[in-house]
Amino acid sequence: MNYENILCFKGIWRNYQDRVLKNTKKYVADGHIHIVAAPGSGKTTLGIELIARMGEPALVFAPSVTIREQWVARIAEGFLCDGLKPEDYISQDFKEPRCITVVTYQALHSAMKRYKGKQMSDEESDDFVAVEEVDYSDFDVVSEMKAAGVGVLCLDECHHLRSEWWKALEEFKDALGKVKIIALTATPPYDSTPAMWERYMQMCGEVDEEITIPELVKEGSLCPHQDFVYFNYPTEEEKAEIRKFQERSKTMQQKLLTDSELMEAMGISQTAGMTAGKLEQRLQSFLYDDAEMYSVEKEYREQKIDELKAAGFIDKKQVMLTANAAIEKLLMNSKAKSRSIQAIVESESRNMGEKLRMLILTDYIRKEYEQSLGDASADINALGVLPFFEQLRRALASAGKIRLGVLCGTIVIIPAEAKESLLQAVGESGKVNFSPIGQLQESDYVKVTAVGDAHFLTSAVTEVFSQGYMQVLIGTKSLLGEGWDSPCINSLILASFVGSFMLSNQMRGRAIRVWKQNPEKSSNIWHLVCLNENQEQESEDFALLKRRMEHFLGLHYTENVIESGMERLSYIEEPYTPEHITEINNQMLTLAKEREQLKSRWQQAVTKSKEMQIVDETAVSEESISKTVYKKASTKLTACGVGATALFVAAGIATGGLLTAACGLAGVVAAGAALTALPATLKYNSSRKRLRAYGEGIYRALASANLLEERNGRVTDGLSEKGEPTIYLKSGSKKDQELFAGCVTQMFADVENQRYLLVKRGNHKASDGIYCVPDCFASKKELAQGFYDCLKSAMGEYDLVYTRNEAGKKLFLALHKEGGEVFRNRSVKKTSVK
């Protein structure tokens, strides 16, 4: 069909949108076009234009009813030609398909199952649950869509899907036959399992284009912003629970370490000093990750698993001697975070005054606290919407310092003085009632209830919030995290402790949109972290923050550079003692005041180059290159201009020792990386040259194995802003750049369970002198040998070792015995895009 007289974009394409559209034919050649676009980039608009250019009836899948309706509104308002009626060309119902039919993934699941009944939008929250009556009992959705000529499936944020929805989508796609796929997302499932990532890529295809946050800030589509972290330690009650676990763990450790049979089976000398962390890692390897490498009877291993499970030290095939799931949950939901929120709100209120528009997003409403509101004698020490509201009201609002509000699907609270403004915002779209709530005075706060359908209430309260009748709005992630928009937000507290990178990125996106009423807007995003009292053991809360930061491109605290990773949050450093944590928190509050400097520094950072490119970089200091040390490298994504789309994988090279790094692929995944020591006589620029030689060898191997889409790539070396060596593939297709980056990552990875290793001939210490053959060369010995042949001139004499035979297993166990410390990241899984 021809959309020429149906759809016509009524705006002006932004530079990054125009870039995508110019390459549409190239991208869709494989039947898929996969766009990763940061929140605020206009990916819905791009999707509609791509549908128009493909010229076939399309089926759009949205993750929620709210987003489904946004698609319909955007098509009607931004594209539909004048004089045409939306209902003639756009549908939200499988049973009445049009040129573009927009439905939810859940509706597809219901249709595939021929379900009849109530369709619930969200069953995992205590917030509002949208309900739609459906009847697909006599409806064959595949046949009907074939009859409607559907030739394009547009998948909006399909990673949101529950497993049963995934299955329905896969079955539907296969049954429909040959269709083109448009995949749009702001948040690929970077932190998912390898299997889930593979499933996602099978559906969506390789990523064709990525529109990043720095690029959007540069173009003025998003505002300058910064991430801040506020730390706390557990409460005294929480500490007592942790100590109980630690005592039990200590007893178990002593039992294990005196078990001579177990120590011998794991290859550990009984005279070796071993911390709980090292013992935990070795047990994880022995019992699960590398079980086939150890020569013990299956029954013996299962006996040890049963013992640890019964004692509560194994959960979901994960050995937990340093902290178990209950302790990590306790830390993540520490009640002490309430005090952190109060400190942040008070500081932001003092700095911003009437201009403050803060959003606090959390997991649950906690309706059981409704009657405690306004009751000074009630204990409201908990995490949740209503506890936060009452805690802040008591601490700040009662003195007239700040105006609060609550916006959830099942409960809305506004200041009494905002009633008239809310009635005006509601207008003719609905009717509301005001009533007392808890023990609060009606002259202070009122509860708002919609009469009948409440669909209008969220937008009305949002409008009142933007007008300043509320300075702090508290809600749940389920209602406000996805599909909801309030560009006025200039401060966000992520008080949600359940969820993934995808969810945190969506919530973060609420705060960084530009606001027409305030072109000078900037935003602060606050992360809450509870630390383990035992400083040797990192809390899962802190680990989660680090994982989030691996994927968030942002401005460095002190340098005018844009990068990802914890390194950019430069004030956060050891020791994490109570005294130093207080100092770090105070630094955060001070830095958060400097909004004018934040804007100017973002401007300087994004104007350094004509194009903003993604740089995947692992770096090590020059000092480490000249010393015999074991040093963990830092990983970051850096935005820079290189004159062409490029992916950098920088590897630090240490002299006389092993460098263990965390190296990511295109900002997608984190993985350990180790680079063999160089002779002490080599100078810094020789390290850089050798790194480039390795890269050229990898590129030759990829070309020789016919794994490249294009042959115009050029391996280029460089230096980071700190003078550290980097390597990247310039030119070539995006897929080639990702493949090259992945090979570098995997070659320098920690020895885990790879099929082939390259082992230096002669003596080597631990895994110094051992490289891993990347996955794409590891399926056959001929490919693995070809990989080494292409690198031999740069590497020297190495043996290709197959780890699945007896000789390979012996090498693996020998590495454990020689260098247990080099496996400190063994429980961290890596995922690569191929």
Side-chain angles (χ1 to χ4, degrees), residues 55-66:
E56 295 185 72
L59 194 55
V60 178
F61 291 107
S64 68
V65 173
T66 301

Side-chain angles (χ1 to χ4, degrees), residues 72-88:
V72 172
R74 186 67 186 128
I75 297 169
E77 296 166 6
F79 283 84
L80 199 61
C81 293
D82 293 341
L84 300 183
K85 296 179 180 179
E87 59 269 23
D88 292 337

Side-chain angles (χ1 to χ4, degrees), residues 385-497:
V385 172
L386 295 185
F388 288 161
F389 173 87
E390 181 62 10
Q391 291 159 12
L392 292 172
R393 190 198 65 79
R394 291 181 188 182
L396 305 171
S398 60
K401 294 181 180 178
I402 199 164
R403 296 182 296 278
L404 307 171
V406 166
L407 178 54
C408 299
T410 55
I411 186 167
V412 174
I413 305 172
I414 65 171
E417 61 192 271
K419 290 195 294 185
E420 188 60 37
S421 176
L422 180 65
L423 291 172
Q424 292 177 4
V426 169
E428 298 298 320
S429 59
K431 184 179 180 182
V432 298
N433 290 330
F434 301 111
S435 61
I437 182 167
Q439 312 303 312
L440 292 169
Q441 297 292 322
E442 272 195 87
S443 57
D444 293 331
Y445 287 95
V446 294
K447 183 176 181 179
V448 183
T449 307
V451 178
D453 188 351
H455 71 278
F456 62 89
L457 190 54
T458 297
S459 59
V461 175
T462 302
E463 174 61 25
V464 173
F465 174 50
S466 70
Q467 294 171 6
Y469 285 94
M470 293 168 283
Q471 296 158 284
V472 178
L473 187 63
I474 311 168
T476 60
K477 65 186 182 189
S478 60
L479 181 67
L480 306 185
E482 177 193 319
W484 177 77
D485 195 18
S486 182
C488 69
I489 297 166
N490 53 30
S491 187
L492 169 67
I493 298 180
L494 292 173
S496 172
F497 316 116

Side-chain angles (χ1 to χ4, degrees), residues 664-718:
L665 167 58
V668 174
V669 292
L675 195 57
T676 297
L678 298 181
T681 55
L682 288 181
K683 296 183 179 179
Y684 187 74
N685 61 353
S686 296
S687 301
R688 175 176 169 181
K689 289 178 180 177
R690 184 167 181 176
L691 180 59
R692 175 170 176 169
Y694 285 167
E696 290 173 340
I698 290 172
Y699 190 73
R700 286 195 300 272
L702 289 169
S704 177
N706 294 316
L707 295 174
L708 297 172
E709 285 186 338
E710 301 175 2
R711 298 297 180 96
N712 63 334
R714 187 168 76 253
V715 177
T716 306
D717 66 290

